[in-house]
Amino acid sequence: MAHRTLPPEAGALLPLLPMVYVAWADGSLTAEELARIRAELSAGLTLGVEAEGILNGWLDPAAPPAPSEMVWMREQIRIGAGKLRPEEREGLAALGAAMVGASRREREALETVEALLGVLGAEAARELLAPVAGESEPGEAAPPDPSRQASPPFDPAALRRYLDRDQIETRDQVIDLLRESELRIPMHLPKEEHRERVLAALRRIAAEGLGALGYPERYGGAADTAQAIVLFEVLGLGDLSVMIKCGVQFGLWGGSIHQLGTERHHEQWLRAIGTLELPGCYAMTELSHGSNVRDIETTATWIPESGEFEIHTPHELAGKEWIGNAAAHGRMATVFAQLRVGSEEHGVHAFVVPLRGEEGRTLPGVRIEDCGWKVGLNGIDNGRIWFDRVRIPRGNLLNRFGDVTPEGFYESAIPGSGKRFFTMLGTLVTGRVSIAAGALMAARTALVTAVRFSDRRRQFGPAGGREVPVLDYLSQQRLLLPRVAATYALTFTARELVRRFAGDDRNDEDARNDEDARELEGLAAGLKVLASRHAVDTIQASREACGGQGYRADNRFGTLRSDVDIFTTFEGANVVLLQLVAKGLLTRFREEMGDLRLRGVIRLLAERAGTRLSELNPVVTRRTDEVHLRNGDFHLAAFRYREERLLQSAARRIRGRLDDGMDSFEAMNHVQDHLIELAVAHMERVVLETFQRAVDEAPDETIADALTPLLQLYALERIEANRGWYLEAGYLEPSKSRAVRALVNQLCREIRPLAVPLVDGFGIPDDLLQAPAALRPTGV
Amino acid sequence: MAHRTLPPEAGALLPLLPMVYVAWADGSLTAEELARIRAELSAGLTLGVEAEGILNGWLDPAAPPAPSEMVWMREQIRIGAGKLRPEEREGLAALGAAMVGASRREREALETVEALLGVLGAEAARELLAPVAGESEPGEAAPPDPSRQASPPFDPAALRRYLDRDQIETRDQVIDLLRESELRIPMHLPKEEHRERVLAALRRIAAEGLGALGYPERYGGAADTAQAIVLFEVLGLGDLSVMIKCGVQFGLWGGSIHQLGTERHHEQWLRAIGTLELPGCYAMTELSHGSNVRDIETTATWIPESGEFEIHTPHELAGKEWIGNAAAHGRMATVFAQLRVGSEEHGVHAFVVPLRGEEGRTLPGVRIEDCGWKVGLNGIDNGRIWFDRVRIPRGNLLNRFGDVTPEGFYESAIPGSGKRFFTMLGTLVTGRVSIAAGALMAARTALVTAVRFSDRRRQFGPAGGREVPVLDYLSQQRLLLPRVAATYALTFTARELVRRFAGDDRNDEDARNDEDARELEGLAAGLKVLASRHAVDTIQASREACGGQGYRADNRFGTLRSDVDIFTTFEGANVVLLQLVAKGLLTRFREEMGDLRLRGVIRLLAERAGTRLSELNPVVTRRTDEVHLRNGDFHLAAFRYREERLLQSAARRIRGRLDDGMDSFEAMNHVQDHLIELAVAHMERVVLETFQRAVDEAPDETIADALTPLLQLYALERIEANRGWYLEAGYLEPSKSRAVRALVNQLCREIRPLAVPLVDGFGIPDDLLQAPAALRPTGV
């Protein structure tokens, strides 16, 4: 190949230089391809014999150019290109032609070769003219683009005030408390030290009077469940072991005394629980029966001779499992056991059983084992408990819903043991709402870190240009922005649920009607599922969004994920809760249908179907214009349609299987995936409605405008995720389904410039966030 | 309400007892409902005045029965039901009617009331007649059902021999080694101790001669890349820090010397690396440029005066990041840097740079910082490295692909710096295949634990029946069984890829043609993505499948997840690799199209479209019979159709955007989700084909029969997962899409009885598995 200088005959070859350079630089050409390029060029250009010879040498597969020659060629091209207008540099043929002012025919020959090269010409030309490494700007953290620095069209602090408007003072009080040294617990502590630090944090929280928030005022509380939930939620900004241990002590242990006990129990224990003088446990789950709590086997037998109950673990696997506060700190426990009075079984009841004496030694008949290391939450002393015929006084039965008289008669205002049991479980509802709120706080933390990091972290970019922030990539937007939207959607839903609880609280609790209570329980269960699943998934996505930096322990993704992981299981395994939700929907549906059967179910079903079918109007199923696709009525109609259809078809499928002689357990299992889908569809509809209301009720236009694209993204991303179902149902036509996807992408691009202020709206103070990836331009 | 005994007039009320009982037990009836039930019963049955009065008392909302009365009612019903045939106990009305031999009219009245009650009668009746807690069998671990104990129709050991047939001796040797005390590293060690234990494990591995497996025989090796990959993979059964540190030392550090260096480097260092006398690092990644390695900023400047290179970190953020072995143990490093010779830039090259002296002190000009705690893999000493004008001899340039002569001339057989760089990166390919195999081993471990646990763990069940194993639930089958199928599918693919590498190894490496090499690189990158994603997702699913027991640290889900998590990021972030794969496909497509352009692309595109459209034959798109849906040809055609269509439409969309004047970077980003989908579709097609071949080539019918339903499940579950796309494309009609889903469920049920032998086919010895959830009937 020609070396360093072009012989005069080679002037005609100058326009070929860009392509020759790219042919070798790309490096993927075979001998045949090189021969074809030679032939095309010879045919298209009028070359002298000598130039032809040089060209053959340039394209000889046996003699590739030396690297220095490559450098030289690039230099020649750059010199030639320096004088050209930008449009003349678009493509290798254009570049080559412009360098020498080639004729139209020459230009066409060049274009043919460019096509043969099989690279995108404009791209190759741009790369060729790009500055090489070392000439480019260093990767130093540069200030963000001016376009992004411009102040956002809404105030993140105002957004946060709207999101967190309930109990905002308690919120800020807990945030301040998290800044205190007792609450700042370092990571990677040995297990025992971690447990002691968490206990000390609880002492501090109790000392602030926050432990008793949910209890009546006479026991040091504020009689405000909503505030107690806020305490739990905001503790999610710190070490989650503190949050969960608070839940165990004040929520479960104290809550069981408060909710299942009566005044004498309140008098006796509630104040000491709120101050942490009396640490205790909530001993429900057993080794053999994780989620199937109704079938626990621990017994509480009435002993008429002494007027006591005998608490007993009938066999090893009926031991209480995973009991928080049991391994080290708990002094007493609310123990759930099957009540036996004489030959009568009255189902599960709760009993207060002392576990340890003042000096911390386990009491006779009580055996406790440490659960040891867990995946996360190692600041909590979970344990297993077995009872060997432990006697407790009659008064230790938490007797709000059922009691045994001194004479040994069982009494309850609730006749059936099944209903009694579910009434008692109702006390878990606050726990589930708390878990949901806490999970969402963890998701917020992860997202703030990931979004801020992605806004600043630059990787790759256009040839010759600066590297671009990774959040400019569609894949990164897709990974994070729908999760930001869902976090807002779910948080608004949690807020509304708490508000409904709190409203009920303030009225006479017994006046709460059964149906309302059942609905709230269903919503709490469903929200716990959606929020815990969302949190686990979002933390993982956020870790991956931060790449290697996400793997640094101090960015907290690992700890968050390990701690939050169990949220999908405790307080009711998600798959069990979703079935509960679905069964609740089916029961209501059957009740409605049951009423109707007498008046003609068929007619009504036909009417319902008619109503629905009108939504399958071809004009609607095909409408793909943006105005329609962004419209909240379309979203809600789609969500509702899905829920209703899933409900009706689930009922029909179960009925069909029962009619075919399948037993109901088997029939339910046969359509289990359908039931789970129904429950999720139901909850997503509730979440959408709530989010829509929240946007409608926004305090001003800037907030509404900030939330509107998130609301649209939430709705459309869910429709997109379920597009298989919608297409099967004929609710979407393929063109509409594609339009939804395109609009989701477009919404991601629209929201991207506001991503940082939107996560700032989560209101997490930097000093609590800590994660280097969130706080320093480069994340290190 | 009547107490304990029925007055003689109440005989007529006996058939109502079941419904009265359920009305109260269910507990959800309002006063109006009770009144309506009373009215219906009075109208339908001929009751005397006294009986009417008693009935009114029974259904008085103001006076619910006492719990003891409920117990009494249930006893009466049970006594009455004891004599009945099973079909007479189906439903409350049937039960009541049969108890007294009621007339047809009475029976109808009862049925009306049953409908009013709004509960499924059969279900309620079964529950009513179910044994109460305490009467039922205890939750003690019982032997598995005889049906499941029967020996499976295939031998799991034979299945494992087929799956792991390559290098099975090395495999078993590493398994034995994992039983030695040096390799049994406890969890929860302090970081420093963990690192030392992992180093000791590496020493033991090296002492067995396993470190050098991939190197030439004259340096103590076996010249067998496949065996080196097996070592890595099987170490995945133990502490994953050992696996990854082996990868760093023998694979990356040693591999860079082996692959990028020439004989003098091999002579100088390779033996000492294989024996671990010379621990070292692979210093490529920089703080600013995670995945964008081509733009790293560390420089290696040729110093003509002394004939040395000067390695320099130009600014803080150009420091090397996440370098394994750097924080404590590494003595040297292969450092990637931009080579500058005079004014010429030659792109990224690799240089051997000493880091520490014999005594372990950092050498002058080298600054190292410990990366500290990570999410996982804390047994590895990752560090950051900065160089301050460190001089190294000319010979320390690893010069296989480019060299600087003593006179200061740069020489390379590969002309373009771009191609040179990608050739060097080719050495990462073995690493990616290893990562894929290791990730799959972690997925195996998780699945064995989860499947065995789910096979034995019982929760809930039919009313009155024993609790059923959780793996009998469709949701649990859905969670685990498609992942078992995918693990087989991906593992067979990894095996075949290794076989192709090894085949290439044994032939002359330089004869490997470029296109083949590019294809293998693409496959390795794609498989690394699918396998790492699958592992992370499967470990999470397995943890959740084991509920609370999954949260015990000793079941290892937490450690596995934390360790494997980074597999999605290192050796190329998944999203970056998928784009590489997609770009490779597009380049091949464009080359093909480029050829064609000259002869008429349009015609050919039309031909291709024609071929494809024939697959949209309505008979095929509508066929929903099982024979068709289980057919491998249907599966492969569907996978291929998806890949081809995504490829063509991606090319068209990019071209359209370029034609509209978008720059190519922006155009690619605009369709990034499409590109990623294309890459995944491509890989899934490859995986399906490989799995199909593996089943075809099974050594005997029992193995083929065991794998066939897994193959069908893999294919159909993927089609189901992408059904939105297939429906949009018109490749599936809604009825067919629904039939696919139904068949996925059916396949889950079919595979369920063989689930345990199928995961036993993964060949993980119990003593290495350790997880209590996998080994003990109840998981504790």
Side-chain angles (χ1 to χ4, degrees):
Chain A
M1 157 148 195
H3 202 83
R4 306 260 158 171
T5 51
L6 272 181
E9 303 81 7
L13 296 177
L14 199 57
L16 304 181
L17 269 185
M19 274 181 280
V20 171
Y21 178 86
V22 167
W24 288 111
D26 192 49
S28 58
L29 297 180
T30 63
E32 294 73 43
E33 288 168 323
L34 287 169
R36 280 203 19 224
I37 292 175
R38 273 204 312 273
E40 285 289 338
L41 288 174
S42 306
L45 305 175
T46 317
L47 298 172
V49 177
E50 294 205 48
E52 188 100 23
I54 293 169
L55 178 67
N56 283 341
W58 280 4
L59 294 170
D60 180 359
S68 313
E69 291 172 325
M70 293 291 285
V71 171
W72 171 83
M73 271 197 266
R74 202 183 54 197
E75 283 315 303
Q76 298 302 312
I77 299 162
R78 289 180 171 207
I79 292 164
K83 304 165 259 174
L84 303 177
R85 293 189 305 277
E87 65 271 22
E88 290 175 328
R89 302 161 60 154
E90 289 283 321
L92 297 173
L95 178 58
M99 281 164 68
V100 297
S103 71
R104 193 168 149 254
R105 189 159 157 266
E106 286 168 332
R107 201 190 169 93
E108 279 171 7
L110 290 167
E111 278 168 1
T112 306
V113 177
E114 183 171 357
L116 261 175
L117 277 171
V119 285
L120 290 170
E123 191 178 354
R126 205 173 293 115
E127 188 143 6
L128 178 53
L129 301 177
V132 292
E135 296 172 22
S136 63
E137 309 160 65
E140 272 290 1
D145 293 352
S147 68
R148 295 204 178 94
Q149 263 187 327
S151 58
F154 63 92
D155 174 9
L159 179 56
R160 185 253 162 174
R161 277 194 304 275
Y162 180 49
L163 183 69
D164 286 347
R165 67 188 182 280
D166 301 328
Q167 294 82 37
I168 203 157
E169 297 80 13
T170 309
R171 241 166 240 286
D172 289 338
Q173 184 187 357
V174 179
I175 284 177
D176 277 344
L177 188 59
L178 281 164
R179 298 187 163 112
E180 301 295 324
S181 60
E182 293 96 325
L183 277 285
R184 289 196 169 265
I185 301 177
M187 291 193 280
H188 317 297
L189 292 175
K191 180 160 55 60
E192 305 311 320
E193 192 182 336
H194 192 186
R195 288 177 176 184
E196 291 313 310
R197 289 291 303 260
V198 170
L199 183 65
L202 251 67
R203 281 209 196 91
R204 176 66 196 259
I205 290 163
E208 299 284 328
L210 296 167
L213 284 172
Y215 310 155
E217 285 166 22
R218 55 198 291 202
Y219 308 117
D224 189 343
T225 310
Q227 280 192 56
I229 295 174
V230 160
L231 168 69
F232 186 91
E233 176 185 1
V234 180
L235 288 175
L237 291 173
D239 182 330
L240 268 65
S241 287
V242 174
M243 173 172 97
I244 298 299
K245 191 155 172 132
C246 268
V248 168
Q249 170 68 19
F250 308 121
L252 293 174
W253 159 234
S256 62
I257 302 294
H258 181 206
Q259 301 288 329
L260 304 180
T262 50
E263 204 176 330
R264 68 167 187 259
H265 305 111
H266 301 170
E267 283 292 341
Q268 202 173 350
W269 294 309
L270 218 42
R271 185 173 290 273
I273 293 173
T275 59
L276 198 60
E277 279 165 74
L278 182 60
C281 313
Y282 184 84
M284 178 181 262
T285 307
E286 295 182 0
L287 285 159
S288 280
H289 300 277
S291 291
N292 187 7
V293 191
R294 194 176 172 174
D295 285 350
I296 54 168
E297 297 170 87
T298 301
T299 53
T301 308
W302 170 249
I303 309 292
E305 295 73 25
S306 63
E308 291 173 305
F309 295 107
E310 185 183 271
I311 307 296
H312 185 62
T313 311
H315 58 94
E316 189 70 10
L317 293 173
K320 296 295 178 183
E321 168 71 326
W322 281 127
I323 309 306
N325 261 353
H329 305 136
R331 293 240 318 280
M332 301 183 107
T334 293
V335 176
F336 290 81
Q338 302 286 353
L339 172 60
R340 294 180 169 176
V341 180
S343 65
E344 290 179 0
E345 290 275 348
H346 294 287
V348 176
H349 285 69
F351 302 84
V352 176
V353 185
L355 299 179
R356 290 185 172 86
E358 287 292 337
E359 73 307 335
R361 199 114 32 97
T362 311
L363 294 172
V366 176
R367 180 160 60 91
I368 298 182
E369 195 176 83
D370 195 323
C371 289
W373 283 99
K374 302 180 293 278
V375 169
L377 298 177
N378 280 303
I380 300 172
D381 54 319
N382 292 86
R384 303 184 186 100
I385 317 176
W386 293 264
F387 300 98
D388 183 16
R389 304 191 187 283
V390 172
R391 295 283 180 97
I392 54 166
R394 189 183 68 89
N396 280 22
L397 166 61
L398 294 174
N399 61 342
R400 178 166 165 204
F401 299 114
D403 203 357
V404 175
T405 65
E407 300 75 30
F409 286 107
Y410 180 78
E411 291 181 336
S412 171
I414 306 167
S417 68
K419 191 189 175 194
R420 213 153 46 223
F421 176 70
F422 286 110
T423 307
M424 289 183 198
L425 280 193
T427 57
L428 280 174
V429 172
T430 314
R432 289 186 183 144
V433 180
S434 304
I435 294 291
L440 292 171
M441 191 57 97
R444 285 196 209 184
T445 305
L447 277 173
V448 173
T449 303
V451 168
R452 287 209 202 156
F453 177 81
S454 303
D455 182 59
R456 290 161 174 162
R457 170 76 170 179
R458 290 170 180 269
Q459 287 280 281
F460 301 101
R466 190 166 169 217
E467 287 190 308
V468 306
V470 293
L471 196 52
D472 285 358
Y473 292 100
L474 179 58
S475 61
Q476 195 85 349
Q477 293 165 4
R478 277 258 175 190
L479 190 65
L480 297 176
L481 302 183
R483 293 184 167 91
V484 172
T487 303
Y488 273 101
L490 291 164
T491 304
F492 278 117
T493 309
R495 297 281 175 271
E496 189 164 297
L497 198 51
V498 170
R499 227 170 283 141
R500 284 182 61 181
F501 270 111
D504 284 341
D505 252 16
R506 276 190 285 274
N507 302 329
D508 177 12
E509 205 163 308
D510 296 317
R512 186 195 280 183
N513 89 40
D514 257 15
E515 195 160 333
D516 259 22
R518 274 195 295 163
E519 193 197 334
L520 280 180
E521 282 169 28
L523 289 174
L527 189 66
K528 182 263 185 188
V529 173
L530 260 57
S532 59
R533 195 194 251 195
H534 173 71
V536 168
D537 164 77
T538 295
I539 294 164
Q540 182 66 27
S542 299
R543 197 301 285 159
E544 292 181 17
C546 293
Q549 295 305 315
Y551 207 55
R552 284 175 54 146
D554 54 2
N555 283 320
R556 284 185 57 203
F557 296 115
T559 322
L560 279 175
R561 184 180 54 197
S562 297
D563 288 348
V564 166
D565 184 12
I566 198 63
F567 286 31
T568 63
T569 298
F570 65 18
E571 306 281 309
N574 279 3
V575 69
V576 175
L577 293 184
L578 286 177
Q579 288 176 88
L580 267 182
V581 170
K583 283 179 188 168
L585 296 172
L586 282 169
T587 302
R588 255 183 281 163
F589 181 74
R590 274 198 304 255
E591 283 167 4
E592 207 179 319
M593 289 295 125
D595 271 0
L596 298 167
R597 194 181 313 206
L598 303 170
R599 297 175 224 140
V601 181
I602 307 301
R603 185 172 47 78
L604 199 98
L605 265 178
E607 272 169 27
R608 279 175 94 120
T611 319
R612 295 307 156 204
L613 279 171
S614 72
E615 288 177 5
L616 296 184
N617 182 325
V619 176
V620 175
T621 56
R622 276 178 205 156
R623 256 188 94 175
T624 60
D625 59 291
E626 207 177 307
V627 174
H628 169 68
L629 293 181
R630 286 180 186 256
N631 190 310
D633 293 340
F634 160 59
H635 305 156
L636 192 54
F639 278 54
R640 280 192 177 142
Y641 178 78
R642 180 165 147 77
E643 179 186 3
E644 286 255 359
R645 271 258 323 222
L646 284 169
L647 177 57
Q648 290 177 27
S649 54
R652 199 172 52 238
R653 289 180 68 199
I654 292 168
R655 169 57 61 193
R657 278 161 181 75
L658 293 173
D659 289 347
D660 290 350
M662 213 180 251
D663 80 29
S664 71
F665 176 77
E666 186 63 22
M668 291 297 216
N669 189 24
H670 220 253
V671 301
Q672 198 185 20
D673 57 335
H674 192 145
L675 296 181
I676 287 170
E677 200 176 357
L678 163 63
V680 172
H682 165 71
M683 284 310 302
E684 288 182 344
R685 192 266 303 158
V686 169
V687 171
L688 177 69
E689 276 186 340
T690 314
F691 196 7
Q692 287 185 335
R693 256 196 310 278
V695 175
D696 284 346
E697 293 165 5
D700 64 57
E701 291 229 334
T702 64
I703 302 293
D705 290 348
L707 290 173
T708 297
L710 288 176
L711 170 60
Q712 293 171 351
L713 180 59
Y714 173 74
L716 290 169
E717 193 274 339
R718 287 293 82 202
I719 292 174
E720 184 197 20
N722 295 312
R723 71 190 202 275
W725 186 90
Y726 282 111
L727 286 158
E728 277 182 10
Y731 193 84
L732 295 183
E733 294 220 340
S735 58
K736 187 161 186 171
S737 174
R738 281 189 289 264
V740 166
R741 186 165 59 254
L743 189 49
V744 168
N745 285 349
Q746 187 183 320
L747 279 163
C748 283
R749 282 187 284 268
E750 278 175 30
I751 293 168
R752 187 270 173 263
L754 297 174
V756 171
L758 282 170
V759 296
D760 287 348
F762 290 156
I764 304 181
D766 282 0
D767 61 326
L768 295 181
L769 192 56
Q770 294 176 316
L775 302 176
R776 287 171 224 149
T778 54
V780 288
Chain B
M1 157 148 195
H3 204 84
R4 303 259 159 171
T5 50
L6 272 182
E9 303 80 9
L13 296 177
L14 199 55
L16 305 181
L17 267 187
M19 275 180 277
V20 171
Y21 179 85
V22 168
W24 287 111
D26 192 49
S28 58
L29 298 179
T30 63
E32 295 72 43
E33 286 168 323
L34 287 168
R36 279 198 23 221
I37 292 174
R38 272 205 312 273
E40 284 291 337
L41 287 174
S42 306
L45 304 175
T46 318
L47 298 173
V49 177
E50 293 204 49
E52 188 101 22
I54 294 169
L55 179 66
N56 284 341
W58 281 3
L59 294 170
D60 179 0
S68 315
E69 290 170 326
M70 293 292 285
V71 172
W72 171 84
M73 270 195 266
R74 201 182 57 199
E75 282 315 303
Q76 298 302 312
I77 298 163
R78 289 180 171 205
I79 292 165
K83 303 166 260 174
L84 303 178
R85 293 188 305 276
E87 65 273 21
E88 290 175 327
R89 302 161 60 153
E90 292 281 322
L92 298 173
L95 179 59
M99 280 164 69
V100 296
S103 71
R104 193 167 149 256
R105 188 160 158 267
E106 285 168 332
R107 201 190 171 94
E108 280 171 4
L110 291 167
E111 279 167 1
T112 307
V113 177
E114 184 170 358
L116 262 176
L117 276 170
V119 285
L120 289 170
E123 192 179 353
R126 205 174 291 114
E127 187 144 4
L128 178 52
L129 300 177
V132 290
E135 295 172 22
S136 63
E137 310 159 64
E140 272 290 5
D145 292 353
S147 68
R148 295 202 178 97
Q149 262 188 328
S151 58
F154 64 92
D155 174 10
L159 179 56
R160 184 253 161 172
R161 278 194 304 275
Y162 180 50
L163 183 68
D164 285 347
R165 67 190 183 278
D166 302 328
Q167 295 83 37
I168 202 157
E169 296 81 12
T170 309
R171 239 166 242 287
D172 289 339
Q173 184 188 357
V174 179
I175 284 177
D176 277 344
L177 187 58
L178 281 164
R179 296 188 164 111
E180 302 294 324
S181 59
E182 293 96 326
L183 277 284
R184 289 196 169 266
I185 301 177
M187 291 192 281
H188 316 297
L189 292 175
K191 179 160 53 69
E192 304 312 320
E193 192 182 336
H194 193 185
R195 288 176 175 185
E196 291 313 310
R197 289 291 303 260
V198 169
L199 183 66
L202 251 69
R203 282 208 196 92
R204 177 65 197 261
I205 290 165
E208 299 284 327
L210 295 168
L213 283 172
Y215 310 156
E217 285 167 22
R218 56 198 291 203
Y219 308 117
D224 189 344
T225 311
Q227 280 191 55
I229 295 174
V230 160
L231 167 69
F232 187 90
E233 176 186 359
V234 180
L235 287 176
L237 291 174
D239 182 329
L240 269 66
S241 287
V242 174
M243 172 172 99
I244 298 298
K245 191 154 171 132
C246 267
V248 169
Q249 170 69 17
F250 308 121
L252 293 174
W253 159 234
S256 62
I257 301 295
H258 182 206
Q259 302 288 329
L260 303 180
T262 50
E263 204 177 329
R264 69 165 188 260
H265 305 113
H266 300 170
E267 282 293 341
Q268 201 173 350
W269 293 310
L270 217 44
R271 185 175 289 275
I273 293 174
T275 60
L276 198 59
E277 278 165 76
L278 183 61
C281 314
Y282 183 84
M284 178 180 262
T285 307
E286 296 183 358
L287 285 159
S288 278
H289 300 278
S291 292
N292 187 6
V293 191
R294 195 176 172 175
D295 286 349
I296 55 168
E297 297 169 87
T298 300
T299 53
T301 307
W302 170 249
I303 310 292
E305 296 73 25
S306 63
E308 292 174 305
F309 294 107
E310 184 181 274
I311 308 295
H312 185 62
T313 310
H315 58 92
E316 189 69 10
L317 293 174
K320 297 295 178 184
E321 168 70 326
W322 280 127
I323 309 306
N325 260 354
H329 304 137
R331 295 240 317 280
M332 301 183 106
T334 294
V335 176
F336 289 81
Q338 303 285 353
L339 172 61
R340 294 179 169 177
V341 181
S343 66
E344 290 180 358
E345 289 275 347
H346 294 287
V348 176
H349 285 68
F351 303 83
V352 177
V353 185
L355 299 179
R356 290 186 173 86
E358 288 293 340
E359 72 308 333
R361 200 115 31 97
T362 311
L363 296 171
V366 177
R367 179 161 59 92
I368 298 181
E369 195 176 83
D370 195 322
C371 287
W373 283 99
K374 303 180 294 279
V375 169
L377 298 177
N378 280 303
I380 301 174
D381 53 320
N382 293 86
R384 303 185 186 101
I385 317 177
W386 294 264
F387 300 99
D388 183 16
R389 305 191 186 282
V390 172
R391 295 281 179 96
I392 53 166
R394 189 183 67 87
N396 280 21
L397 166 60
L398 294 173
N399 61 343
R400 177 166 166 205
F401 299 114
D403 202 358
V404 175
T405 65
E407 301 74 29
F409 286 107
Y410 180 77
E411 292 181 337
S412 171
I414 306 168
S417 69
K419 191 190 174 191
R420 213 151 49 222
F421 176 69
F422 285 111
T423 306
M424 290 184 198
L425 280 193
T427 58
L428 280 175
V429 172
T430 314
R432 289 188 183 144
V433 180
S434 304
I435 294 291
L440 292 171
M441 191 58 99
R444 286 197 209 184
T445 305
L447 276 173
V448 173
T449 304
V451 168
R452 287 208 201 155
F453 177 80
S454 303
D455 182 59
R456 290 161 174 160
R457 171 75 170 180
R458 290 170 180 270
Q459 287 280 281
F460 301 100
R466 193 171 166 211
E467 287 190 307
V468 306
V470 293
L471 196 52
D472 286 357
Y473 291 100
L474 179 59
S475 61
Q476 195 84 348
Q477 294 165 5
R478 279 258 174 189
L479 191 63
L480 297 175
L481 301 183
R483 292 183 167 92
V484 173
T487 303
Y488 273 101
L490 291 164
T491 304
F492 278 117
T493 309
R495 297 282 175 270
E496 188 163 296
L497 197 52
V498 171
R499 226 170 284 142
R500 283 182 63 182
F501 271 113
D504 285 340
D505 251 17
R506 276 189 285 274
N507 304 327
D508 178 11
E509 205 163 309
D510 295 318
R512 186 193 281 181
N513 89 39
D514 257 15
E515 195 160 332
D516 259 21
R518 272 196 295 163
E519 193 196 333
L520 280 180
E521 282 168 29
L523 289 174
L527 189 66
K528 182 263 186 188
V529 174
L530 259 56
S532 59
R533 196 194 251 195
H534 173 70
V536 169
D537 164 76
T538 295
I539 295 165
Q540 182 66 27
S542 299
R543 198 302 285 160
E544 291 180 17
C546 293
Q549 294 305 315
Y551 206 56
R552 286 177 52 149
D554 54 3
N555 283 320
R556 286 185 55 205
F557 296 116
T559 321
L560 279 176
R561 185 180 54 198
S562 297
D563 288 347
V564 166
D565 183 14
I566 198 64
F567 287 31
T568 62
T569 298
F570 66 17
E571 307 280 308
N574 279 2
V575 68
V576 175
L577 293 184
L578 286 176
Q579 287 175 91
L580 267 182
V581 170
K583 283 177 188 169
L585 296 172
L586 282 169
T587 301
R588 256 182 280 162
F589 181 75
R590 274 198 304 257
E591 282 167 6
E592 206 181 320
M593 289 295 124
D595 271 1
L596 297 169
R597 193 182 314 208
L598 303 171
R599 296 174 225 141
V601 180
I602 307 300
R603 185 171 47 78
L604 198 98
L605 267 179
E607 272 170 27
R608 280 175 93 119
T611 319
R612 296 307 157 203
L613 280 171
S614 72
E615 290 177 5
L616 295 185
N617 183 323
V619 177
V620 176
T621 55
R622 275 179 205 156
R623 256 187 93 174
T624 60
D625 59 291
E626 207 176 308
V627 174
H628 169 68
L629 293 181
R630 285 179 186 257
N631 189 311
D633 292 340
F634 160 59
H635 304 156
L636 191 53
F639 277 53
R640 280 193 178 142
Y641 178 79
R642 179 165 147 76
E643 179 186 3
E644 286 254 357
R645 272 259 322 223
L646 284 168
L647 176 56
Q648 290 177 28
S649 54
R652 199 172 52 238
R653 290 180 67 198
I654 292 168
R655 169 58 61 194
R657 279 162 181 73
L658 293 172
D659 289 348
D660 291 349
M662 211 180 252
D663 81 28
S664 71
F665 175 77
E666 186 62 22
M668 291 296 217
N669 189 25
H670 220 254
V671 301
Q672 197 185 20
D673 58 335
H674 192 144
L675 296 181
I676 287 169
E677 199 175 358
L678 162 63
V680 172
H682 165 70
M683 284 309 303
E684 288 182 344
R685 192 264 304 158
V686 168
V687 171
L688 177 68
E689 276 186 339
T690 314
F691 196 7
Q692 288 185 336
R693 258 198 308 279
V695 175
D696 284 346
E697 295 165 4
D700 64 56
E701 291 229 335
T702 63
I703 302 293
D705 289 348
L707 289 172
T708 297
L710 287 177
L711 170 60
Q712 293 171 352
L713 181 59
Y714 173 75
L716 290 169
E717 194 274 339
R718 287 292 83 203
I719 293 173
E720 184 197 19
N722 294 312
R723 71 190 202 275
W725 187 89
Y726 282 111
L727 286 159
E728 276 182 9
Y731 193 85
L732 295 183
E733 294 221 339
S735 58
K736 187 163 186 169
S737 173
R738 280 189 289 264
V740 166
R741 186 165 60 253
L743 188 50
V744 168
N745 286 348
Q746 188 183 319
L747 278 163
C748 284
R749 282 188 283 267
E750 277 174 31
I751 293 168
R752 188 267 172 264
L754 297 174
V756 170
L758 282 170
V759 294
D760 286 348
F762 290 155
I764 304 181
D766 281 0
D767 61 327
L768 295 182
L769 192 56
Q770 293 176 317
L775 302 176
R776 289 173 222 146
T778 53
V780 287

